[in-house]
């Protein structure tokens, strides 16, 4: 973060010469679009002495993420009064309109990656999703070998648990090696707006990869995370347990057991039923059946860019 | 629907005299805002003979739902070239910009309810959400009496099952009274875009209110809905079972057992882990334990405008 340079330079039309190559992804619900295009490579200040260049030949790939901005309640009255409207439907007290705004505040924001590589273009492309219904046998034969082969480093997790990194961000800690955990704000949360509260509890116990590894013997750990996590959030942020969505991801994004705490008013990514598993449900399921997650088929979405997709594809699962 | 009058009338500034009273709800993620305000009551065409009125005193309540539109990929190149930009950050190949667009297509849409009543204003307001952890005892003592007292009519469901309404919309039917169902497109789906595919299976068997009423004896019904529903959607819409999110809502919006089928690329409302329960999980859970939903605590969100909230509030649950 210390490398980020806040800039006030005002290039009044950074995208004037943008040429569209391909729409990579459309997200209509969130009013967002990812574009692959090209932009001219500009001369940097320190080679101003070089001769004239053929601007047509000096282009490079660019990725642009364009997103409409949320409305600003402080200027919304002025904004709506200045619009031009076209009525599209009228029935009794209900009407609909198409609206042309006259923005006097920024109404969109963009992220530009330039020059962009193939990897950037792939990252911002739509990837085909597929559902995997993972039986215990498929977990043992396909998923587990894939996790073990990937050797994705979780040193950053150990740095948090050992307090060599991010120690100042810890909200609460229980240092018990069997039932303890560290509660830390997720990077997606700015710690300002309580409606977007998002924290993560990382357990001290090592060797638990995910939900799949849990049995009734872990109930004391799970109940401890639930109770102490709720209590710490109530005490430090004033958000009660009747406002907290507390859940695992399956598949998780890293294989050291952790639990998400997000405000129910926050439509956080990864809360879909195809990925989230409530901690209270996990506790309940293990109480009803001690080996629940050794017997359960777990369904989730993989994308054709994921290692797990490749593992299942190689296994012939998608035929 | 036959009462809807499509109108091409073009009132160039329908909101010119809009006075804001209150922002009712902000949805930043979907770029949507609900407003309570007032507008002048206009003379209708058929009372043009009446005398002049004091326009200041002739106002009434209005509710406006304002939403930014998704980007149009066919005009996105032109759109982005014409923007004015202000660079807000620059680090290596990454830059961010605040953008002022110059809309030559409609960039927002609005729904106007005018004149609006207190009920409309309440409907479009933010309602406080609360999590209920419904044990089997709480279901019996609070939820079930509330459902039974509300006597919410489900005649429209029987009209579909009896084919006195919407018979032409049926995608597939199995008429068996114990394991049969009707599969019908949800009203949210236009049947055009496969990525927003959304259908509902309504079971023929009466007396099953929700997930809570299911035991292992209903496994033949549930497996039949899963298999025949998937097969019909594959055959008629070409969407395979590895693209379908198939789930119950709990609480459901009406108490006759039904199952949702939505495309996994469609971020449909009600797919959050606090409301959706995968049909495959329900089948699996009842196979592991025949009385699973008689023992399970089910967590869900109620809002302070719901009857169920009132029932739990009266019961002292939220103290």
């Amino acid at each position: 973060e210390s490398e980020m340079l806040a800039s006030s330079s005002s290039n009044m039309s950074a995208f004037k010469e943008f040429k569209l190559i391909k729409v990579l992804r459309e997200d209509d619900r969130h009013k967002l679009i990812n574009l692959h295009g090209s932009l001219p490579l500009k001369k940097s200040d320190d080679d101003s002495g070089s001769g004239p260049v053929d601007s047509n030949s000096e282009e490079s790939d660019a990725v642009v993420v364009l997103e409409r901005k949320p409305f600003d309640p402080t200027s919304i009255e002025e904004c709506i009064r200045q619009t031009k409207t076209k009525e599209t439907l009228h029935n009794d007290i209900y009407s609909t309109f198409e609206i042309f705004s006259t923005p006097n505040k920024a109404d969109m924001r963009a992220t530009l990656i330039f020059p962009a590589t193939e990897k950037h273009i792939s990252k911002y492309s739509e990837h085909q999703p597929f559902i995997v219904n993972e039986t215990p046998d498929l977990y043992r034969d396909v998923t587990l070998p894939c996790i073990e082969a990937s050797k994705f480093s979780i040193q950053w997790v150990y740095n948090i648990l050992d307090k060599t990194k991010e120690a100042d961000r810890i909200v609460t800690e229980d240092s018990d090696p069997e039932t303890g955990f560290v509660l830390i704000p997720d990077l997606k949360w700015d710690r300002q707006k309580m409606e977007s509260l998002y924290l993560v509890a990382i357990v001290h116990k090592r060797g638990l990869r995910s939900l799949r590894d849990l049995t009734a013997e872990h109930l004391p750990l799970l109940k401890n995370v639930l109770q102490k996590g709720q209590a710490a959030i109530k005490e430090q942020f004033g958000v009660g347990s009747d406002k907290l969505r507390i859940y695992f991801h399956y598949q998780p994004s890293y294989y050291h057991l952790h639990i998400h705490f997000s405000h129910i008013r926050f439509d956080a990514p990864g809360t879909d039923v195809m990925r989230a598993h409530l901690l209270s449900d996990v506790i309940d399921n293990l109480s009803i059946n001690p080996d629940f997650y050794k017997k359960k088929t777990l369904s989730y979405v993989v994308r054709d860019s994921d290692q797990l997709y490749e593992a299942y594809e190689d296994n012939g699962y998608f035929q």
Side-chain angles (χ1 to χ4, degrees), chain A residues 152-166:
Chain A
F152 188 71
S153 170
I154 47 173
Q155 187 55 49
W156 66 272
V157 175
Y158 299 148
N159 291 343
I160 292 171
L161 294 174
D162 298 341
K163 288 180 239 172
T164 58
K165 295 274 182 188
E166 304 189 52

Side-chain angles (χ1 to χ4, degrees), chain A residues 161-163 172-183 201-206 208 217-225 228 256-257:
Chain A
L161 294 174
D162 298 341
K163 288 180 239 172
T172 196
E173 179 180 18
D174 175 335
S175 59
D176 187 289
E178 286 299 314
T179 63
F181 64 98
V182 161
L183 184 69
I202 305 174
V203 306
H204 271 301
K205 188 172 173 68
R206 300 194 181 186
L208 294 174
E217 72 170 294
H218 304 108
L219 283 170
L221 164 62
L222 301 177
K223 289 177 179 174
N224 192 47
V225 170
K228 292 210 180 123
H256 176 103
L257 196 71

Side-chain angles (χ1 to χ4, degrees), chain A residues 63-81:
Chain A
V63 168
V64 179
V65 176
L66 197 62
E67 183 175 13
R68 297 206 197 266
K69 290 188 72 169
F71 290 106
D72 171 16
T74 65
S75 62
I76 190 71
E77 186 179 54
E78 190 193 352
C79 164
I80 193 171
R81 281 168 168 242

Side-chain angles (χ1 to χ4, degrees), chain A residues 57-282:
Chain A
S57 66
E58 296 279 352
E59 294 199 336
S60 189
D61 285 308
V63 168
V64 179
V65 176
L66 197 62
E67 183 175 13
R68 297 206 197 266
K69 290 188 72 169
F71 290 106
D72 171 16
T74 65
S75 62
I76 190 71
E77 186 179 54
E78 190 193 352
C79 164
I80 193 171
R81 281 168 168 242
Q82 292 175 357
T83 57
K84 289 178 188 164
T85 58
K86 185 173 180 313
E87 190 177 82
T88 45
L89 190 141
H90 191 149
N91 178 3
D92 190 41
I93 58 170
Y94 301 95
S95 323
T96 61
F97 299 88
E98 293 281 293
I99 292 188
F100 297 74
S101 66
T102 50
N104 36 29
K105 290 207 173 188
D107 61 326
M108 306 201 279
R109 57 186 157 215
T111 301
L112 169 66
I113 302 168
F114 180 74
T117 65
E118 275 303 320
K119 218 169 165 180
H120 295 115
I121 294 164
S122 169
K123 182 178 172 189
Y124 288 92
S125 294
E126 179 79 54
H127 291 286
Q128 275 294 322
F130 298 85
I131 293 173
V132 169
N133 296 302
E134 184 192 87
T135 62
D137 286 354
L138 281 170
Y139 176 72
R140 185 195 60 215
D141 297 340
V142 185
T143 305
L144 187 55
C146 176
I147 295 168
E148 287 181 338
S150 77
K151 295 277 175 212
F152 188 71
S153 170
I154 47 173
Q155 187 55 49
W156 66 272
V157 175
Y158 299 148
N159 291 343
I160 292 171
L161 294 174
D162 298 341
K163 288 180 239 172
T164 58
K165 295 274 182 188
E166 304 189 52
D168 55 323
R169 301 180 69 239
I170 292 176
V171 167
T172 196
E173 179 180 18
D174 175 335
S175 59
D176 187 289
E178 286 299 314
T179 63
F181 64 98
V182 161
L183 184 69
I184 197 164
D186 187 276
L187 292 174
K188 279 183 279 299
W189 184 38
D190 60 6
R191 301 187 68 155
Q192 301 302 313
K193 232 181 173 177
M194 288 307 146
E195 291 79 26
S196 53
L197 176 140
Y198 196 157
L199 300 101
V200 179
I202 305 174
V203 306
H204 271 301
K205 188 172 173 68
R206 300 194 181 186
L208 294 174
R209 292 178 204 90
S210 73
L211 196 56
R212 266 292 183 208
D213 287 335
L214 297 175
T215 64
E217 72 170 294
H218 304 108
L219 283 170
L221 164 62
L222 301 177
K223 289 177 179 174
N224 192 47
V225 170
L226 180 64
Q227 286 154 14
K228 292 210 180 123
Q230 286 175 332
I233 290 171
K234 175 72 185 171
E235 190 193 312
Q236 297 199 31
F237 305 109
V239 174
S241 59
D242 64 353
K243 299 283 184 287
L244 291 178
R245 189 199 285 110
I246 308 172
Y247 52 104
F248 296 91
H249 280 160
Y250 195 78
Q251 296 290 328
S253 54
Y254 53 95
Y255 293 88
H256 176 103
L257 196 71
H258 59 283
I259 296 107
H260 305 260
F261 290 69
S262 68
H263 197 290
I264 47 170
R265 284 178 67 174
F266 179 37
D267 183 17
T271 60
D272 189 281
V273 65
M274 299 294 312
R275 186 153 191 218
H277 297 259
L278 292 180
L279 175 56
S280 59
D281 281 346
V282 173

Side-chain angles (χ1 to χ4, degrees), chain A residues 26-40:
Chain A
E26 291 170 69
D27 182 346
D28 287 1
R29 203 150 173 242
H30 300 111
K31 285 77 180 183
L32 188 146
I33 196 165
N34 294 351
L35 305 173
H36 172 207
S38 65
L39 281 172

